[in-house]
Amino acid sequence: MALNLIGVGFCDEKDITVKGLELVRKCEKIYLEDYTSLLQCSVTELETFYGKPIILADREMSEQGAEKLVEEAKTTDVAFLVVGDPLAATTHISLLNLAREKNVPVQVIHNASILTAVGEVGLELYKYGKTTSIPFDNPNLQTPQKVIIDNQSLGLHTLCLLDLKPKEGRFMTIKEALDILKLHQKVIGCARLGCENSMIKYGLSGELKDFDFGKPPFCLIVPGKLHFVEEESLSLY
Amino acid sequence: MALNLIGVGFCDEKDITVKGLELVRKCEKIYLEDYTSLLQCSVTELETFYGKPIILADREMSEQGAEKLVEEAKTTDVAFLVVGDPLAATTHISLLNLAREKNVPVQVIHNASILTAVGEVGLELYKYGKTTSIPFDNPNLQTPQKVIIDNQSLGLHTLCLLDLKPKEGRFMTIKEALDILKLHQKVIGCARLGCENSMIKYGLSGELKDFDFGKPPFCLIVPGKLHFVEEESLSLY
């Protein structure tokens, strides 16, 4: 009996690893955390491919329900599926800690994350600084802007994750984020990174605001100091 | 016909995604880049699982041989397998750029990377600054030390990747890295992160030097400012 934290990647049902899939098929209870990100396929497609019913776990369940989940994993093989990598968010680190404290065996199956998928843009992953989020509500503007300035002071790139509320069908667009940030430099707008139909555009804030990026999720990258290979990559967009 | 850059994760043959596996099985030529990292399984185990022979591509081939590889992908379905995520290293970004410049269709299948597997340690991934490498030869000591100091000035954590020369069987140990860095604070030593038998230890530099971490690969994390959930995570090691 164990708690299995399994990353499912971020496009469709086939982005899970072979190891992750075998584990899901062995588990009796399968939860999918459905608030922090967005897949390009439906839950039904996941269920069909896994051959297992899925219980959607909303924010309340994965945060306040952690105790219950860990308790359940004492007597049942539980899979907790997370879009992207299972440990990219603090909530899931807390879940991991709780399971360890309660001596419940826990296994983590890693997967791609937006933090590695940004590699497609062609900026070196090692040269990203702190990641920042741009929230819809009560935007404490100073925070993302300070992160960008701090990172740039060290020549580092900044990944800005744009807020999303999948249940309400709300996804912050590149334009909305640029309106909030008021940047006066070239930036990189991305949609559906890591998926076959991903879209990447490099240009001045004003240029990107008018561009139609299509379906979510979106993110924005503010480059720091560019190496010539990085310049070459960006010249392709 | 296309060039397929496919991440294989970092433990064994089952860490490839279902999508990646289907693609490998469709390709005529399969290369595995074998110098930047290390799997916990043999090439033969990969070949058996994939049902395909694998050609090992050394540094020379993936850097100077990029032209040849892209040329080959014009007439053949080529898979270029990379340990971890395929775009974590600059070399592969150059390969991607070259394929795009030559109008050769290219597909990237992402996977877990050491950059996300460090999530297991329990420090927030968003709060890592620049990643640094500690090389065996002619160590320009200032570089990793400056990266650590710069990151800490912003409260950020630093992931230090330790050099490895798999062909010569040389892997920098945590002890060697700590001898080079001469740190006077608590650090986190890790071995085989992302694998079932991973090992994580938190302690003063002097304490970790005497600890036997077992088999490679190793990495070292120098924490920045700690959030209480992060403190809680580290208290478990």
Side-chain angles (χ1 to χ4, degrees):
Chain A
M1 302 309 138
L3 177 62
N4 301 288
L5 299 175
I6 303 172
V8 298
F10 32 55
C11 295
D12 59 37
E13 69 277 14
K14 292 187 175 175
D15 284 328
I16 194 168
T17 64
V18 174
K19 197 181 277 173
L21 181 62
E22 288 181 355
L23 209 48
V24 169
R25 290 187 172 157
K26 258 179 46 189
C27 284
E28 288 160 72
K29 272 284 191 65
I30 294 139
Y31 295 96
L32 170 67
E33 172 251 30
D34 80 332
Y35 65 90
T36 55
S37 199
L38 178 77
L39 283 169
Q40 301 290 313
C41 72
S42 70
V43 174
T44 312
E45 283 168 301
L46 291 182
E47 288 180 320
T48 307
F49 186 66
Y50 300 159
K52 290 273 186 177
I54 288 174
I55 304 158
L56 290 181
D58 57 13
R59 176 159 231 150
E60 204 181 302
M61 171 150 187
S62 41
E63 285 180 357
Q64 280 85 51
E67 291 271 358
K68 211 184 128 226
L69 210 63
V70 169
E71 200 52 44
E72 196 172 18
K74 282 184 183 170
T75 54
T76 318
D77 275 317
V78 175
F80 189 78
L81 308 182
V82 179
V83 174
D85 185 82
L87 296 181
T90 322
T91 315
H92 308 129
I93 292 178
S94 299
L95 189 58
L96 177 71
N97 288 347
L98 188 68
R100 284 175 174 166
E101 281 161 18
K102 303 265 179 189
N103 286 314
V104 172
V106 54
Q107 192 174 358
V108 178
I109 305 292
H110 289 283
N111 208 319
S113 150
I114 181 68
L115 300 176
T116 48
V118 290
E120 271 179 55
V121 166
L123 304 187
E124 232 181 301
L125 290 184
Y126 297 169
K127 283 173 55 193
Y128 278 82
K130 185 175 181 174
T131 302
T132 190
S133 302
I134 306 179
F136 277 125
D137 307 316
N138 306 313
N140 179 359
L141 258 180
Q142 284 191 316
T143 310
Q145 282 170 341
K146 188 177 180 313
V147 170
I148 292 168
I149 292 167
D150 282 349
N151 284 338
Q152 284 190 328
S153 74
L154 302 177
L156 304 178
H157 315 310
T158 308
L159 169 62
C160 304
L161 301 172
L162 311 194
D163 206 356
L164 70 179
K165 298 191 188 295
K167 279 190 179 168
E168 302 168 23
R170 285 181 75 198
F171 302 91
M172 184 182 284
T173 61
I174 305 277
K175 183 180 183 312
E176 288 171 305
L178 289 170
D179 282 338
I180 292 172
L181 289 176
K182 297 190 194 355
L183 298 166
H184 300 285
Q185 66 159 110
K186 281 186 160 184
V187 296
I188 304 149
C190 311
R192 304 170 302 283
L193 270 189
C195 302
E196 267 180 77
N197 62 351
S198 66
M199 191 172 280
I200 301 169
K201 288 287 162 192
Y202 177 52
L204 285 165
S205 189
E207 295 163 358
L208 295 196
K209 278 186 195 175
D210 296 330
F211 190 79
D212 180 8
F213 282 92
K215 285 207 304 181
F218 309 111
C219 71
L220 195 68
I221 297 157
V222 185
K225 204 176 156 206
L226 296 172
H227 179 263
F228 77 91
V229 175
E230 297 179 316
E231 298 248 17
E232 186 186 276
S233 305
L234 294 182
S235 72
L236 296 169
Y237 304 112
Chain B
M1 302 309 138
L3 176 62
N4 300 288
L5 299 175
I6 303 172
V8 298
F10 32 54
C11 295
D12 59 39
E13 69 277 14
K14 292 187 176 175
D15 284 326
I16 193 167
T17 65
V18 174
K19 196 180 279 173
L21 181 62
E22 288 180 356
L23 209 49
V24 169
R25 289 187 173 157
K26 258 180 47 191
C27 284
E28 289 160 71
K29 271 285 192 64
I30 294 138
Y31 295 95
L32 170 68
E33 173 251 31
D34 80 331
Y35 64 91
T36 56
S37 198
L38 177 78
L39 283 170
Q40 301 290 314
C41 71
S42 70
V43 174
T44 311
E45 283 168 302
L46 290 182
E47 288 180 320
T48 306
F49 187 66
Y50 299 158
K52 289 273 185 176
I54 287 173
I55 303 157
L56 290 181
D58 58 14
R59 177 159 230 150
E60 203 181 301
M61 172 152 186
S62 40
E63 285 180 356
Q64 280 86 51
E67 292 271 356
K68 211 184 128 227
L69 211 63
V70 170
E71 199 54 43
E72 195 171 18
K74 282 185 182 169
T75 54
T76 319
D77 275 317
V78 175
F80 189 78
L81 309 182
V82 179
V83 175
D85 185 82
L87 295 181
T90 322
T91 314
H92 308 130
I93 292 179
S94 299
L95 189 57
L96 177 71
N97 288 348
L98 187 68
R100 285 176 173 163
E101 281 161 18
K102 304 264 179 193
N103 287 314
V104 172
V106 55
Q107 192 174 356
V108 178
I109 305 291
H110 289 285
N111 207 318
S113 149
I114 181 68
L115 299 177
T116 48
V118 290
E120 270 180 55
V121 167
L123 303 186
E124 232 182 301
L125 289 183
Y126 297 169
K127 283 173 54 194
Y128 278 81
K130 185 174 181 174
T131 302
T132 190
S133 301
I134 306 180
F136 278 125
D137 306 316
N138 307 312
N140 179 359
L141 259 181
Q142 284 192 317
T143 308
Q145 282 170 341
K146 187 175 181 315
V147 171
I148 293 168
I149 291 167
D150 282 349
N151 284 338
Q152 285 190 328
S153 74
L154 301 177
L156 304 178
H157 314 309
T158 309
L159 168 63
C160 305
L161 301 172
L162 311 193
D163 206 355
L164 69 179
K165 297 191 188 295
K167 278 191 179 167
E168 302 167 24
R170 284 182 75 199
F171 302 92
M172 184 183 286
T173 62
I174 305 276
K175 183 181 184 309
E176 287 172 306
L178 289 170
D179 281 338
I180 292 172
L181 289 176
K182 299 190 196 346
L183 298 166
H184 300 285
Q185 65 159 112
K186 280 186 160 184
V187 295
I188 304 149
C190 312
R192 302 170 304 283
L193 269 189
C195 301
E196 267 182 77
N197 61 352
S198 65
M199 191 172 279
I200 301 169
K201 289 287 162 191
Y202 177 52
L204 284 166
S205 190
E207 294 162 359
L208 294 197
K209 277 187 197 174
D210 296 330
F211 189 80
D212 179 8
F213 282 90
K215 285 207 305 182
F218 309 111
C219 71
L220 194 68
I221 297 156
V222 185
K225 203 175 156 207
L226 295 171
H227 179 263
F228 78 92
V229 174
E230 296 180 316
E231 299 247 16
E232 187 186 274
S233 305
L234 294 183
S235 72
L236 296 169
Y237 305 112

